[in-house]
Amino acid sequence: MLDDTNLAETTVANDDIKIAARDVSVYYGDNQAIKGVDVDIADRTVTAFIGPSGCGKSTFLRCFNRMNDTIDICRVTGDIRLDGEDINAKSVDPVQLRAKVGMVFQKPNPFPKSIYDNVAYGPRIHGLAKSKADLDDIVEKSLRRGAIWDEVKDRLHAPGTGLSGGQQQRLCIARAVATEPEVLLMDEPCSALDPIATAQVEELIDELRQTYSVVIVTHSMQQAARVSQKTAFFHLGNLVEFGETTQIFTNPKDKLTESYITGRIG
Amino acid sequence: MSDASMNTTPSKAKTSLADLSDRTRRRNAAEKRFQAYGIGAIAISLFFLIVLVFSIVRSGLPAFTQTVLDVEFVLTEEQFNDAEKQLFKTKAYSGYFNDALTAQFTEAGVSVPFDAKSIERIAGKVGGTIREFYRENPDQLGQPTSFQLAASSRVDAYINGRFTRDTFTESRFLMAADLDLVDAMKTSGIIKNVFNWNFITGADSGVDNPGGAGIGASVVGSFFMMLVVLFLSLPIGVAASIYLEEFAPKNRFTDLIEVNISNLAAVPSIVFGILGLAVFIQFMHLPQSAPLVGGLVLTLMTLPTIIISTRASLQSVPPSIRDAALGIGASKMQAVFHHVLPLAMPGILTGTIIGLAQALGETAPLLLIGMVGFVARGYPEGFVNGFVEPNSAMPAQIYTWAARADASFYDKAWGGIIILLIFLLTMNIIAIILRRRFERRW
Ligand SMILES: Nc1ncnc2c1ncn2[C@@H]1O[C@H](COP(=O)(O)OP(=O)(O)OP(=O)(O)O)[C@@H](O)[C@H]1O
Ligand SMILES: [Mg+2]
């Protein structure tokens, strides 16, 4: 099944731990969506979360930048550390956390503003650009990294909402990388993209890995195998198996993992 | 599911697309019927609207015209000096006026006998008016001057057809013989209908002078009240809604506040009036009948409207926009002010203008704080005084006129309603323009 993927290229994983999650549980009201999960996200590594729909991948991902705070009924327990610091500590401002841990959402959500302003917004509020020319540079670089520069360079001041679904998603990726986060969380970033754009985004992910830590949720086994060095398989809120991507895909330890990646459950 | 459908239709007969099944036909008929109901409903409301507008315009238009005696007149310096020497000075001027009138009659080929008394019944004390004019403008002596003297309200009513000779009852205010004179003046072009600027710009008059009544002063009163309402209720209302919608924790207490705001929107306005009387006037000793107090009371009334519509438009902004902003590290306040509020703006502005329009047309609370029945005989002096000097407001002025005995005031009330509606229409148009300008797709 995985013959077409080049696993060998992606085996290099980093041992420095960027995010350490211990015994994390998430509740939506009385409904427990994540059940005591332990995960280490390594630095300069791509980690893939896979699992059937509704198993809690997005929910768990949102714990890393405390986006679950914005949902009233949502409650997170356990310990999550970014570079050894507890991100849920009282002294931590989620705003500062989110500047370090960027996110691309499952559904594209550009601002109803121009393409330029979409990308420039983050650098502006974080004061990353010293001048207009600086900001222009950041915008261009980010749009290039989002693999959308060529399509929008002539209409930077057209509304971002006027782009196609796939273009919007790449704009959102460009927006997320514009703030130079240390960790980038991507929730199914390629689900609305064509193969060419997908390849470009995967290239970007690979490039980002040189400096950042990337966590990607995906439903595509091939994609997980192509881009990630570590893979975590979730099922019904449990972390079933977590390890080197090559190992998960070639020699899964758990029966459940095996049946999922061979397409028997999902 | 596929099993079930296979059981019920073992071999489905081929049908043409052009044949409508009974089911489709019934469905189409139901749709047609529903559309007919809709069109009927619109037709009925249009009919009522047209009747309303027609009757308002028809009854209100006389308020905008005025019946005047237009007399061309030359007064020489000798005549002036002569009159000033006499004991009954105004009587002398009346004499000159009568001479001029006779001359104008002969010129038009009309001959009716008249005396000073009948002129007084038709146009009031003309002598006084003329004398005053020449004493103030002595340079006009010897020049031909045309005087437009307001006719009495009864003559005005007769000219506007509110009574005829058949329904006329003679009184000491107007005799049957005077009507002959009025008719003669009309045929010779002395009595005319002219546009009544005084109605738009003037202040209210006494109960005995409907001709001089104007709505201008109360327009100014309404304007100052609206200023107070706008500058209090918009910031307070929007701040309250943003806090409740975006920042406040959802708990019993905020639920309670929410329910109470909804209830406040349904409280009759007269309740706010009596509250205003008790708090602002009796307790805080703010001046009675002042637009400031009226504005405060109307602010209380408008706040729930603004809060409800602002919250509704904040809720209609997709949550993904907030996530997007928070996701790149915007603070909650930045997310709200940079992204949510601009999208909610059209709704907020519409709600605000609807609230203001409601406040503009409100009469009942003004009744209790003394803005109804107050006769505003002049304009406030200066901007600050506009807030604290006693004044009336448009709806209150209309109410006052409608309650007066003289039927001519009734016309004024209708005319006032036209002016009020023009203001409301303007506000709605502004609301539409603002909404268009701020509307953005997402
Ligand atoms: N806002 C919410 N309120 C209540 N329950 C929620 C909410 N979001 C998610 N859930 C529940 O949490 C569970 C996990 O949802 P989550 O979105 O994390 O799944 P997922 O693995 O990302 O699925 P998918 O692959 O379809 O995106 C689901 O059972 C879902 O019903
Ligand atoms: Mg998801």
Side-chain angles (χ1 to χ4, degrees), chain A residues 62 67 70 72 95 98-99 101-103 105 109-113 121-122 125-126 161 175-176 179, chain B residues 249-250 320-332 334-335 338-339 342-343 440-442:
Chain A
R62 291 161 61 92
M67 279 306 280
T70 62
D72 280 321
V95 168
R98 289 177 196 139
V101 184
M103 184 162 200
F105 292 82
N109 54 358
F111 298 127
K113 295 183 188 284
Y121 183 67
I125 58 171
H126 296 303
T161 38
R175 185 177 66 188
T179 50
Chain B
K250 302 274 174 287
S320 63
I321 298 290
R322 297 180 181 85
D323 283 351
L326 296 177
I328 32 178
S331 69
K332 214 158 184 178
Q334 285 172 328
H338 296 167
H339 301 288
L343 290 178
R440 266 177 284 185
R441 290 187 321 112
W442 62 80

Side-chain angles (χ1 to χ4, degrees), chain A residues 58 106 187-188:
Chain A
S58 301
Q106 192 163 353
D187 197 347
E188 295 185 39

Side-chain angles (χ1 to χ4, degrees), chain B residues 246-275:
Chain B
E246 307 282 342
F247 294 93
K250 302 274 174 287
N251 55 28
R252 280 265 174 81
F253 183 64
T254 44
D255 282 352
L256 192 74
I257 290 180
E258 222 178 302
V259 169
N260 276 310
I261 289 174
S262 309
N263 283 343
L264 274 185
V267 168
S269 52
I270 197 145
V271 176
F272 289 109
I274 206 151
L275 183 83

Side-chain angles (χ1 to χ4, degrees), chain B residues 89-422:
Chain B
K89 298 183 180 67
T90 55
K91 198 171 168 210
Y93 289 99
S94 290
Y96 297 143
F97 177 79
N98 291 354
D99 295 343
L101 198 60
T102 319
Q104 234 159 323
F105 274 143
T106 14
E107 201 179 309
V110 187
S111 74
V112 264
F114 65 88
D115 56 22
K117 281 269 176 265
S118 56
I119 293 295
E120 193 176 321
R121 285 192 293 267
I122 290 171
K125 297 198 188 312
V126 287
T129 319
I130 294 170
R131 174 167 182 242
E132 216 161 283
F133 174 79
Y134 281 111
R135 277 160 64 97
E136 275 166 28
N137 306 291
D139 50 322
Q140 288 295 319
L141 283 170
Q143 314 276 355
T145 315
S146 98
F147 278 89
Q148 294 206 329
L149 301 157
S152 76
S153 72
R154 268 154 235 267
V155 173
D156 189 67
Y158 175 63
I159 295 288
N160 282 317
R162 241 175 294 126
F163 65 82
T164 60
R165 278 166 184 272
D166 301 333
T167 54
F168 173 62
T169 40
E170 218 177 25
S171 69
R172 71 190 170 85
F173 299 111
L174 198 64
M175 312 245 175
D178 300 336
L179 291 184
D180 296 334
L181 181 57
V182 169
D183 284 340
M185 284 172 161
K186 199 170 174 196
T187 45
S188 55
I190 293 171
I191 280 190
K192 286 190 200 165
N193 249 331
V194 294
F195 190 79
N196 188 359
W197 279 111
N198 181 53
F199 177 65
I200 291 172
T201 58
D204 194 11
S205 60
V207 284
D208 50 348
N209 178 20
I215 200 163
S218 51
V219 169
V220 171
S222 279
F223 170 76
F224 280 106
M225 280 202 320
M226 289 304 112
L227 277 189
V228 175
V229 176
L230 182 67
F231 284 102
L232 287 180
S233 64
L234 184 63
I236 297 177
V238 171
S241 342
I242 290 177
Y243 178 74
L244 282 175
E245 201 51 52
E246 307 282 342
F247 294 93
K250 302 274 174 287
N251 55 28
R252 280 265 174 81
F253 183 64
T254 44
D255 282 352
L256 192 74
I257 290 180
E258 222 178 302
V259 169
N260 276 310
I261 289 174
S262 309
N263 283 343
L264 274 185
V267 168
S269 52
I270 197 145
V271 176
F272 289 109
I274 206 151
L275 183 83
L277 174 67
V279 175
F280 297 130
I281 295 179
Q282 289 172 349
F283 177 70
M284 291 167 66
H285 297 291
L286 292 176
Q288 223 169 352
S289 309
L292 174 66
V293 179
L296 288 172
V297 171
L298 293 177
T299 299
L300 293 179
M301 223 194 71
T302 317
L303 265 178
T305 313
I306 292 186
I307 292 179
I308 288 172
S309 63
T310 302
R311 294 191 63 184
S313 45
L314 287 174
Q315 275 164 10
S316 72
V317 175
S320 63
I321 298 290
R322 297 180 181 85
D323 283 351
L326 296 177
I328 32 178
S331 69
K332 214 158 184 178
M333 196 167 142
Q334 285 172 328
V336 170
F337 280 89
H338 296 167
H339 301 288
V340 178
L341 210 53
L343 290 178
M345 217 50 184
I348 295 174
L349 289 175
T350 313
T352 305
I353 292 182
I354 288 175
L356 280 185
Q358 261 177 13
L360 185 65
E362 199 57 66
T363 325
L366 306 184
L367 207 75
L368 288 164
I369 56 164
M371 292 183 81
V372 171
F374 175 80
V375 179
R377 287 192 196 276
Y379 283 88
E381 284 163 25
F383 189 74
V384 176
N385 284 347
F387 292 105
V388 291
E389 259 177 29
N391 203 333
S392 191
M394 277 189 275
Q397 183 68 71
I398 291 166
Y399 176 86
T400 308
W401 283 336
R404 280 186 188 160
D406 193 324
S408 297
F409 276 116
Y410 197 61
D411 285 348
K412 300 285 169 190
W414 281 102
I417 281 173
I418 290 182
I419 303 259
L420 184 61
L421 286 180
I422 288 174

